[in-house]
Amino acid sequence: MEEYQICTLPNGLRLIHRPTQSAVSYCGFTVNAGTRDEDEAYNGLAHFVEHTLFKGTTHRRASHILNRMEVVGGELNAYTAKEETVVYTIFPGVHLPRAMELLGDLVADSQFPERELAKEREVVADEINLYLDTPTELIYDEFESLLFEGCSLGRNILGSVESLNGMTSAVARRFLTDYYTPGNMVFFFMGATPFARVKALAERYLGGLTRPTKAMNRRLPSPVPAFTRTIGRDTHQSHVIIGARAYDLHDPRRRALLLLNNLLGGPGMNSVLNVSLREKRGYVYTVESSVTSYTDTGVFTIYFGTDHHDTRRCIDLVRRELKRLREQRLSPAKLAAAKRQFIGQIEVSTDNSENVALALGKSFLRYGRFDSLAEIARRVEQITADDLLAVANDLLSEEQLSMLIYE
């Protein structure tokens, strides 16, 4: 079966179609707009628009939108990130016209009625307060706010309770009109419906959307000197993040970094940091490393939580493992094992169809393509031990790493 087909509608909306044999289908919009594109006074606006997109159009009330896919067994969902927003639905494939007509109406004609916004402000305020009470999430955002100080990329996705008050119907509609435009979105579909049928429905339900896209104002953040900050949070254990800026989405070194990250602190119980801090010594319940890439920069982080009296020991162990990665080239056997594990994890992840559909939209938005598992594996196999050594020395030196501690 072919991997995917693409086309561009006359209004400029790009469409990607990936055929499957499943009776369940997935489709939606991936929008090139997120927290990074908000005005400073409206931090959290992209997320608030995503929440309130379902609250009414000219022809539909919120209750109608809520039930439109649910009554046929489907789901309507959305999420917001720093640089994109995704609005999508999962449904029995025979209801594709219903799904596409609804999504097209939401993107083209959401009205954001004030009575609904007033209720949703309370919902989002509760979400913000819950987030503020969760140090394992808060510390990541606070670290990025320091790493990207003075830049919209450093703002958290939810915003603040105070900023919610300025998010009126007019403000929400302006954000929708500026960024939910044909040239700033892709429409993705994954399911058994043939490409020609999906394209025809897209022309019918999505082809009438004609809006110019507001010019992006994404500036690469100025470098920030490495920092160490300790903040008293009165938590029952210390929470620590160590990290630095990393490679953007288009940097070819990113592949080596992803492999190195997986080896160091990926989801496997055999990751270097998990073995060192948890399995051998029992200092932590969770230790992980992660890579987040944006269009023009990125972030590499290591996180762990531990008892207060073990904090310094854990920091020293992390530094020891990073030093080893900078100084010791992986043997052929260890490199082969790391690649085999990484490729296997990617293969297992493709068993989650929802994740694949969402990746389909984001990949087409950012790269104009969707790589097969075979292509991903081929690129991973090209990574050398010298590539990993070079990335480790480029990003993981003690002089470059910053640290944030909650205690």
Side-chain angles (χ1 to χ4, degrees), residues 220-231:
L220 182 65
S222 301
V224 173
F227 57 84
T228 298
R229 302 279 178 88
T230 301
I231 299 175

Side-chain angles (χ1 to χ4, degrees), residues 208-284:
L209 181 63
T210 55
R211 293 178 185 145
T213 303
K214 181 179 178 179
M216 289 291 181
N217 189 29
R218 294 177 178 175
R219 295 187 302 273
L220 182 65
S222 301
V224 173
F227 57 84
T228 298
R229 302 279 178 88
T230 301
I231 299 175
R233 290 280 181 186
D234 196 27
T235 51
H236 77 278
Q237 65 172 190
S238 295
H239 299 270
V240 180
I241 277 194
I242 300 170
R245 293 192 190 182
Y247 306 130
D248 64 50
L249 283 166
H250 305 284
D251 194 313
R253 296 170 295 178
R254 178 173 171 269
R255 298 189 198 105
L257 175 60
L258 290 171
L259 179 59
L260 187 70
N261 171 74
N262 201 63
L263 174 71
L264 179 66
M269 295 293 287
N270 62 342
S271 73
V272 167
L273 292 178
N274 194 71
V275 170
S276 179
L277 273 66
R278 175 173 171 160
E279 299 302 322
K280 286 186 177 180
R281 298 173 176 87
Y283 287 160
V284 303

Side-chain angles (χ1 to χ4, degrees), residues 43-181:
N43 181 206
L45 177 59
H47 174 257
F48 191 66
V49 167
E50 171 240 303
H51 263 246
T52 53
L53 195 68
F54 309 114
K55 298 304 179 181
T57 67
T58 301
H59 305 292
R60 287 185 169 92
R61 294 184 178 182
S63 58
H64 187 183
I65 295 168
L66 181 69
N67 283 290
R68 186 65 176 158
M69 299 310 300
E70 301 287 339
V71 296
V72 296
E75 301 174 17
L76 188 62
N77 211 340
Y79 73 84
T80 307
K82 291 287 182 78
E83 292 190 324
E84 62 265 348
T85 307
V86 180
V87 182
Y88 67 102
T89 181
I90 308 168
F91 54 95
V94 294
H95 298 293
L96 178 60
R98 172 186 293 253
M100 292 182 70
E101 191 271 339
L102 176 62
L103 289 173
D105 190 29
L106 294 177
V107 167
D109 195 39
S110 284
Q111 294 298 303
F112 306 100
E114 287 290 356
R115 65 183 181 278
E116 296 290 344
L117 265 59
K119 291 186 288 186
E120 202 63 22
R121 286 189 193 96
E122 295 297 321
V123 173
V124 177
D126 286 343
E127 185 179 1
I128 290 170
N129 288 325
L130 178 62
Y131 151 80
L132 292 174
D133 285 338
T134 312
T136 53
E137 295 183 19
L138 183 62
I139 194 169
Y140 279 93
D141 281 335
E142 195 152 2
F143 184 79
E144 284 203 19
S145 72
L146 294 169
L147 201 63
F148 299 119
E149 187 175 5
C151 171
S152 59
L153 198 55
R155 300 179 200 146
N156 76 75
I157 291 169
L158 299 182
S160 66
V161 174
E162 292 73 24
S163 65
L164 285 175
N165 295 326
M167 296 179 193
T168 64
S169 178
V171 169
R173 279 200 302 271
R174 185 166 62 247
F175 191 86
L176 183 85
T177 301
D178 285 345
Y179 295 112
Y180 284 60
T181 67

Side-chain angles (χ1 to χ4, degrees), residues 5 8 124 149 301 394 401:
Q5 287 181 278
T8 301
V124 177
E149 187 175 5
T301 57
D394 186 40
L401 292 171

Side-chain angles (χ1 to χ4, degrees), residues 330-338 340:
L330 282 188
S331 69
K334 287 185 177 180
L335 178 61
R340 183 170 60 247

